[in-house]
Amino acid sequence: MSGRMFVLADADSFYASCERVFHPELARRPLVVLSNNDGCVVSRSREAKLLGISNGTPWFKIRGQAQHDGVIARSSNYELYASLSRRMMRLMAAALPGQEIYSIDECFLRGFQDPQRTRIVCTRMRETVLQGIGIPLTIATAPTRTLAKIVSHYIKHQGGGIGDWDLLRSQEPDVLDRIDVSEVWGVGRRLTRKLQGMSITTAGDLARADPSRIRHLFSVLLQRTVLELQGIPSIELDDFDAIDGTRKQQLMCSRMFGQPITGLPDLSAAVSTYAQQASIRLRKQGSLAGMVTVFIATSPFNQDYQSRSGSIILTDPADDPLTIARAAVGTLPRMIDPHARYVRAGVMLGALTDAASYTTFDGMDAKRDNGLGTILDQANRKFGLQSVGIGWAGMKGKGRARQETGAAWNMKRHHLSNRGTTRWDELAVAKAR
DNA sequence: TCTGGGGTCCTAGGACCC
DNA sequence: TCTGGGGTCCTAGGACCC
């Protein structure tokens, strides 16, 4: 091997671990974190996993049993998780080179030529993050990212810690044959079914497949996965900060409603809100949108499920919230079914271009002349997200903090913890006696 | 009663051009 | 009047990830 070792650092039960940072009494208790609207389980502490609760389970289906078992539930608190994630990532970036943030709770880093040295640094990095942030990590090293993912899965099953591919393989030469093909990074449900039909059922089977045949039958993506399983690095990530640095090619803001809504007025308010949210992120990354797409959908769990979407091309690419919200709301009249009970809507901004380099033929700036977006952004920074907006009729704050409006369709978050690192009024309180 | 919210990349196929 | 084949661009849809 060339010594280009990949290090994968992945937090254990990240959201659940975050909830414990300011609530040490939750340690060793079974704990689950729920998705928006308190819908599904999205993170489980080790104790909750041992109770047999799986990810993605609808909370309403297991609530009775779970509460009987002493399981504690929390609504997801992304503000807290994002803040802890940033701190954790900074500590890791200081320990090893080449950080690529892959998701809120995991990143790839580069190891050193000397595996011994890499191991020592990884051990120290794990202790630093545990002591400094309070988040336990699993750290895996391997010659490819896909193998690092395999190692990480494997040692998480053993309770976490640190693991290395070469070491693991020398101890258990047939380890890939004992891992289901569906657990391989890049192999989802559909591919699993198709592969099984070809008698490829384990990671070992896939590693022994002929890459060019796989490319023929599937795609270049799966071919790369095969090569990676064979120890040949083939997958590149955009090595930008995936959480706040990158310029996205498409921005979406969508939500399930707290309860179904019917009719144009409510739907317009929701879509307008999401459009303004999306435009905030658009301005933050310095882009203009050339297209606005809106989708609305009823519940996919009902017989009469319907989902509609409609787009509007902006002849002058825009980033100001008025233009974008108006375009988004404008798609609704021709899509809406006046009797349907909608449970979800979303706004997508596409055909993004760089605002700084965009000029029209006569050299004037595009639709960003009134400065309203900038004022809104400043107000939102100062007074909290969503404190100011357009078309918020009848949505005065009833929630705990300013940004929680009283609209019926707003998210349900009945088990929300404090945002102790980003809100002064929700700081943790320590008492000394 | 009650089932998340973002993203990315690839491929196939149509439109158009020479 | 007749018309092949290849390149490129775009979009919709599929599949995956956390």
Side-chain angles (χ1 to χ4, degrees), chain A residues 65-172:
Chain A
Q65 180 64 42
Q67 287 173 344
H68 178 262
D69 290 339
V71 174
I72 295 169
R74 288 276 185 266
S75 304
S76 38
N77 185 345
Y78 289 105
E79 203 169 309
L80 174 69
Y81 312 151
S83 151
L84 292 178
S85 171
R86 278 191 294 271
R87 297 174 185 206
M88 175 177 96
M89 294 300 176
R90 262 203 303 272
L91 285 183
M92 290 197 275
L96 283 169
Q99 184 180 50
E100 299 161 323
I101 297 176
Y102 181 62
S103 74
I104 193 165
D105 74 327
E106 68 190 297
C107 67
F108 290 101
L109 300 144
R110 291 311 175 95
F112 302 109
Q113 293 281 342
D114 175 8
Q116 201 60 16
R117 184 179 168 209
T118 302
R119 190 175 180 83
I120 291 168
V121 172
C122 286
T123 307
R124 199 159 53 209
M125 182 170 86
R126 188 169 184 278
E127 284 165 5
T128 307
V129 171
L130 188 59
Q131 284 166 16
I133 318 286
I135 301 288
L137 296 176
T138 290
I139 302 179
T141 54
T144 68
R145 296 183 177 88
T146 303
L147 286 173
K149 281 280 196 181
I150 295 258
V151 174
S152 179
H153 267 281
Y154 189 87
I155 52 182
K156 277 197 173 190
H157 269 287
Q158 329 261 303
I162 292 186
D164 173 66
W165 168 246
D166 289 325
L167 197 65
L168 178 60
R169 198 182 38 172
S170 69
Q171 289 163 352
E172 306 189 41

Side-chain angles (χ1 to χ4, degrees), chain A residues 246-251 279 281-292 313-320 324 349-360 364-368:
Chain A
T246 330
R247 182 167 287 181
K248 303 279 196 300
Q249 297 168 26
Q250 178 182 313
L251 291 171
S279 84
R281 284 192 273 151
L282 188 69
R283 288 187 294 277
K284 199 170 169 189
Q285 73 164 20
S287 297
L288 300 174
M291 186 166 70
V292 180
I313 308 248
L314 301 175
T315 40
D316 296 314
D319 70 354
D320 83 281
I324 289 173
L349 304 182
L352 305 190
T353 50
D354 183 11
S357 61
Y358 182 89
T359 48
T360 55
M364 301 282 286
D365 272 352
K367 268 240 188 321
R368 42 199 332 251

Side-chain angles (χ1 to χ4, degrees), chain A residues 379-395:
Chain A
N380 283 325
R381 254 201 305 280
K382 191 163 177 185
F383 302 113
L385 213 58
Q386 294 187 8
S387 57
V388 185
I390 308 149
W392 287 74
M395 291 164 48

Side-chain angles (χ1 to χ4, degrees), chain A residues 263-282:
Chain A
L264 193 56
D266 274 354
L267 218 45
S268 297
V271 162
S272 167
T273 306
Y274 303 160
Q276 290 168 56
Q277 275 302 114
S279 84
I280 289 174
R281 284 192 273 151
L282 188 69

Side-chain angles (χ1 to χ4, degrees), chain A residues 397-405 419 423 425-426:
Chain A
K398 270 198 284 196
R400 189 185 57 184
R402 283 179 204 271
Q403 82 278 17
E404 279 125 27
T405 76
R419 290 158 283 201
R423 303 280 169 144
D425 53 348
E426 297 178 20

